[in-house]
Amino acid sequence: MARKKSETGPARRGRPRAYDTQVALKQATETFWKTGYSGTSLDSIAAATGMNPPSLYAAFGNKHAIYLEALARYWEISLAATREALAHDRPLGESLMLAYEAALSIYFSGKGGARGCFVIGTAITEAGEDAAIRSSVAAGLRMIDADFEVRFRTAIERGELKLDADPAALAILASATMHTIAIRARAGVRRAELREVARSAVSVICGCSVDAT
């Protein structure tokens, strides 16, 4: 898909002023999260970051490059939160609920209403025609599935799941639960209700009821 001139911009040039690029990237992410990729202009990113367009080009590249960095940053944060929840020596149900609580903390982290998942809210609509965004989305989903699958394999070894349980299938179910929570959060469902959705899914996955945490 052809990009507008304002999106592609000139090649990087010159030495940027002393901006904190990580702070700027966070501010750019907030802007994309609020208005989406197509709805975000380079001018709005400049306003949010306090950087003029030439400085943005020098630090990040064009709008597309800025978005890809924002998307990579989001994946890094969200995957780290999931891995932290799954890594410790806790019962399977507790670990899964902590992973969903970590996700909910991200989905409800905006100053206004719940904004859901950055990937689902901004990347999915672009992935169909943008190969780079599609690749990032696919890679991130594979990593989420892999993290859940590792935990389920451990659960089988510990006797928390039946020996014939399918860790790959359970991982997809666990990931799908995370995605539906994100969508419902964006649709205005209350956090307490979403927590119950997660708890119901965890009960199905574990084959037993899961107490409130």
Side-chain angles (χ1 to χ4, degrees):
M1 181 173 65
R3 298 283 172 189
K4 296 179 181 178
K5 184 177 181 181
S6 61
E7 295 180 7
T8 56
R12 298 188 185 196
R13 61 174 182 251
R15 176 175 296 180
R17 290 170 55 189
Y19 293 105
D20 186 326
T21 55
Q22 289 306 305
V23 171
L25 186 59
K26 180 180 179 181
Q27 293 164 333
T29 301
E30 296 292 323
T31 305
F32 282 123
W33 211 335
K34 182 178 181 180
T35 55
Y37 177 80
S38 296
T40 299
S41 67
L42 196 63
D43 286 342
S44 63
I45 297 173
T49 61
M51 299 173 68
N52 57 40
S55 295
L56 285 171
Y57 292 136
F60 300 107
N62 56 39
K63 170 186 159 180
H64 190 242
I66 297 171
Y67 178 76
L68 288 175
E69 288 205 38
L71 186 56
R73 175 183 176 274
Y74 179 83
W75 276 127
E76 181 179 350
I77 292 171
S78 61
L79 287 167
T82 300
R83 288 166 182 164
E84 171 69 17
L86 298 177
H88 295 286
D89 188 18
R90 303 184 182 95
L92 176 60
E94 183 179 342
S95 294
L96 294 175
M97 283 304 301
L98 285 172
Y100 293 128
E101 287 288 0
L104 286 170
S105 293
I106 294 174
Y107 304 158
F108 283 83
S109 61
K111 294 180 180 179
R115 54 187 179 175
C117 171
F118 181 78
V119 177
I120 291 175
T122 68
I124 298 301
T125 55
E126 306 297 331
E129 296 188 18
D130 190 307
I133 294 176
R134 182 167 62 252
S135 178
S136 177
V137 171
L141 294 178
R142 285 194 298 269
M143 285 188 281
I144 292 175
D145 291 346
D147 289 340
F148 277 121
E149 184 173 345
V150 168
R151 182 61 183 87
F152 290 134
R153 291 190 183 280
T154 300
I156 293 172
E157 294 172 358
R158 293 177 177 176
E160 295 178 297
L161 293 172
K162 295 180 180 179
L163 289 175
D164 62 352
D166 185 339
L170 291 175
I172 292 174
L173 177 58
S175 297
T177 299
M178 189 169 285
H179 306 326
T180 195
I181 287 173
I183 293 170
R184 292 169 188 267
R186 191 70 175 250
V189 177
R190 294 184 302 113
R191 186 167 181 168
E193 294 180 54
L194 295 174
R195 190 177 291 112
E196 290 306 313
V197 171
R199 185 169 292 112
S200 296
V202 171
S203 295
V204 171
I205 292 170
C206 295
C208 61
S209 61
V210 177
D211 295 333
T213 56

